[in-house]
Amino acid sequence: MSSRRISEDGRVCRRCLCSPEGVEVTMKALYGQQNSPGEEITFVFQERENLPPTGDNDVKVQVRACALSWIDTKLLSEIKLEKELLPVGREISGVVLEVGRKVTFFQPDDEVVGILPLDSEESGLCEVILVHEHYLVHKPEKVCWVEAAGTVRDGVRAYTALHYLSQVSPGKTVLIMDGASPFGTIAIQLAQHRGAKVISTAYSLEDKQHLERLRPPVEGVRQPLVARVIDVSNGKIDVAESCLEETGGLGVDIVLDAGVKLYSAEDESTSKSQLLPHKHDIITLLGVGGHWITTEKNLQLDPPDSHSLFLKGATVSFLNDEIWNLSNVQQGKYLSILEDIMEKLSSSIFRPQLDEPIPLYEAKVSMEIVQKHQARKRQVIQF
């Protein structure tokens, strides 16, 4: 057994990563524990010994950066993927160390980026992991590790919503709720790049200023990405009225919400939910033939709501970006999305909303913040 020791932050030197056959290497990886349903997750570093042998289609990756995302324990339970230890960190970028004998797309020293699938046993917050080649694409050389890992999930969500669920195109008007969030920022940039007119809501003065500062990457162009910013922080602005005014009474073509208010104001408990639009407001501001893309998994539509949508010929779609990895049927489209996200990142069309890179030893505290929805910028761990 190797006598090498590992530092407190879980780091191990590169020469230890490709250890000779039979030599054990100890690394640390971050996992989440939930003792009972509904209970708060606690995060712990676990030591792990050697990786299993590299499978025929596996790629061994030395992780350079890993973005943190909220863990949906309810979804994992519903699709029977709950575990005693939940791997933490799925959006990774890194360098290929070794490939399986049937791998065709990658070779050692390639720079890659991808999202680990829901059923992965691997924690992205580990020095070295094994990933099936169909979950990875090449990272452009000019894109840094942190930006690659920090953009890939929001990019997939934006493409799912605006390309596959609503077909955004030139001349369309798009309302993106909470546009200053990491996801909202990428969605705005994609919609504007596709030629759409963008309206967005802001939850604070800081968010409003961020949205007003957004500009296209073309030098000399000063026109803002967002045609109108609706500040809802004081609760006095009517979103539906503002959108109808901006569109000359026609309504918007695409709405991408960040949650909706399902009940009357007195039934909503948190201050955040007070700022969300009511579902009736969204139906009101939607134009004829419009698309409502919702992140509200428990959306309830009453018969009058459905009738209003019917009269407008409008559609409601649920945004669940995990669908790409729940079936292999969509694998080709999924990899094309990842490649396009990297291309747009490389050409500065995508400029993500990232916090300062975080060292591995602070990953546990950072993940607790993310799980409590307290982070306004994307948190990325840098190795």
Side-chain angles (χ1 to χ4, degrees):
M1 180 176 290
S2 170
S3 60
R4 287 188 291 264
R5 298 299 297 170
I6 183 168
S7 62
E8 284 300 311
D9 63 0
R11 300 198 65 162
V12 62
C13 66
R14 174 155 185 156
R15 67 176 179 272
C16 302
L17 302 178
C18 301
S19 56
E21 195 74 28
V23 177
E24 285 192 3
V25 176
T26 302
M27 293 178 287
K28 286 186 178 181
L30 189 65
Y31 294 88
Q33 286 182 317
Q34 188 178 35
N35 297 325
S36 59
E39 193 174 289
E40 198 171 279
I41 297 181
T42 56
F43 297 98
V44 292
F45 275 109
Q46 292 279 331
E47 288 196 351
R48 54 179 299 181
E49 299 298 333
N50 283 353
L51 288 173
T54 305
D56 287 348
N57 297 105
D58 287 341
V59 177
K60 183 182 285 187
V61 178
Q62 180 188 8
V63 179
R64 291 295 184 86
C66 177
L68 303 181
S69 293
W70 180 72
I71 298 174
D72 190 341
T73 53
K74 187 175 181 183
L75 175 63
L76 292 173
S77 176
E78 287 170 346
I79 60 178
K80 311 300 182 189
L81 287 179
E82 67 266 61
K83 307 180 183 78
E84 185 179 343
L85 289 175
L86 300 170
V88 173
R90 292 171 52 207
E91 305 91 71
I92 59 102
S93 61
V95 179
V96 174
L97 297 175
E98 182 186 329
V99 298
R101 63 186 184 90
K102 291 185 179 179
V103 171
T104 56
F105 297 114
F106 305 102
Q107 57 189 16
D109 294 324
D110 280 354
E111 298 183 352
V112 296
V113 60
I115 302 176
L116 304 182
L118 271 176
D119 60 355
S120 173
E121 299 290 335
E122 299 279 357
S123 164
L125 287 169
C126 185
E127 289 280 345
V128 182
I129 60 174
L130 290 177
V131 190
H132 193 286
E133 68 169 332
H134 288 167
Y135 298 116
L136 298 170
V137 295
H138 288 95
K139 180 187 76 67
E141 189 176 343
K142 65 185 292 187
V143 174
C144 74
W145 304 109
V146 170
E147 285 195 345
T151 308
V152 65
R153 174 173 292 281
D154 291 321
V156 169
R157 284 174 64 81
Y159 265 84
T160 305
L162 296 175
H163 183 74
Y164 287 97
L165 296 179
S166 59
Q167 294 82 46
V168 67
S169 57
K172 300 281 189 182
T173 303
V174 183
L175 170 63
I176 296 174
M177 304 288 191
D178 192 16
S181 67
F183 167 53
T185 298
I186 295 296
I188 287 171
Q189 292 164 356
L190 178 60
Q192 198 276 339
H193 178 69
R194 293 287 180 86
K197 175 183 178 179
V198 180
I199 304 170
S200 185
T201 58
Y203 289 161
S204 67
L205 177 60
E206 185 181 357
D207 287 354
K208 182 173 183 286
Q209 291 170 342
H210 166 76
L211 292 170
E212 290 173 341
R213 284 195 302 267
L214 290 177
R215 295 288 187 275
V218 182
E219 196 171 323
V221 176
R222 301 307 303 155
Q223 184 179 354
L225 290 185
V226 183
R228 180 164 181 170
V229 179
I230 304 170
D231 185 356
V232 298
S233 59
N234 60 13
K236 296 177 182 178
I237 303 296
D238 189 311
V239 175
E241 188 178 297
S242 299
C243 288
L244 291 171
E245 178 185 307
E246 185 66 30
T247 58
L250 297 176
V252 302
D253 301 295
I254 299 167
V255 178
L256 177 50
D257 73 35
V260 294
K261 198 183 296 181
L262 299 177
Y263 312 106
S264 58
E266 57 268 20
D267 295 331
E268 300 285 353
S269 55
T270 66
S271 57
K272 173 71 181 291
S273 63
Q274 293 284 354
L275 300 178
L276 296 176
H278 197 281
K279 58 183 177 180
H280 302 314
D281 295 330
I282 292 183
I283 294 171
T284 299
L285 62 83
L286 202 59
V288 172
H291 301 279
W292 175 9
I293 315 301
T294 183
T295 59
E296 179 52 68
K297 64 182 73 175
N298 296 315
L299 179 67
Q300 298 176 28
L301 295 177
D302 301 319
D305 300 329
S306 298
H307 188 65
S308 295
L309 290 167
F310 167 76
L311 291 175
K312 293 185 177 189
T315 63
V316 179
S317 301
F318 291 86
L319 178 55
N320 176 11
D321 53 290
E322 299 292 359
I323 57 169
W324 297 105
N325 287 327
L326 294 178
S327 169
N328 291 331
V329 174
Q330 306 285 352
Q331 201 69 48
K333 288 181 181 178
Y334 175 64
L335 291 177
S336 294
I337 292 173
L338 296 187
E339 289 170 351
D340 210 40
I341 292 165
M342 288 301 111
E343 186 276 323
K344 284 182 170 51
L345 197 53
S346 178
S347 58
S348 298
I349 292 168
F350 284 167
R351 284 151 294 147
Q353 177 83 313
L354 305 179
D355 218 333
E356 290 297 316
I358 301 163
L360 182 59
Y361 63 83
E362 292 182 8
K364 180 175 175 290
V365 173
S366 297
M367 191 59 211
E368 289 168 353
I369 293 170
V370 169
Q371 195 64 21
K372 293 174 182 175
H373 298 289
Q374 293 175 349
R376 278 301 282 168
K377 293 184 179 181
R378 181 66 64 204
Q379 307 292 298
V380 184
I381 306 301
Q382 185 172 29
F383 288 75

